[in-house]
Amino acid sequence: VCKRVEAELGRRPGGPRHGPRPIDVDLLLLGDLEHVSERLTLPHPEVTARRFVLEPLLELDPQLALPGGQALQGFTAAVADQPVRRSSPL
């Protein structure tokens, strides 16, 4: 579903990893589900290492936690030095 949404919004496969793209849709968390396969890892392996991911998630749910109960709020200090720019108000 994520790949289909990306294609509909103009993303083409095969670009450079972490390169510019019109849209990037990632599945970050799915309740308490933990899953590892060739195509998908849940929770997303970098969900706690990216400020631009953590801050919006915590705006939606300040109590959000990883499977097993570890609060995402506890990871914000480690990424506080990463620059983030809001492109528009919520």
Side-chain angles (χ1 to χ4, degrees), residues 46-86:
E46 297 184 44
V47 71
T48 61
R50 295 178 171 170
R51 184 176 170 200
F52 74 90
V53 172
L54 280 175
E55 285 187 2
L57 281 175
L58 291 168
E59 284 181 13
L60 294 170
D61 182 355
Q63 305 305 314
L64 197 58
L66 294 170
Q70 192 171 11
L72 288 182
Q73 190 69 39
F75 294 94
T76 58
V79 298
D81 63 334
Q82 294 177 7
V84 173
R85 179 179 54 88
R86 184 180 298 270

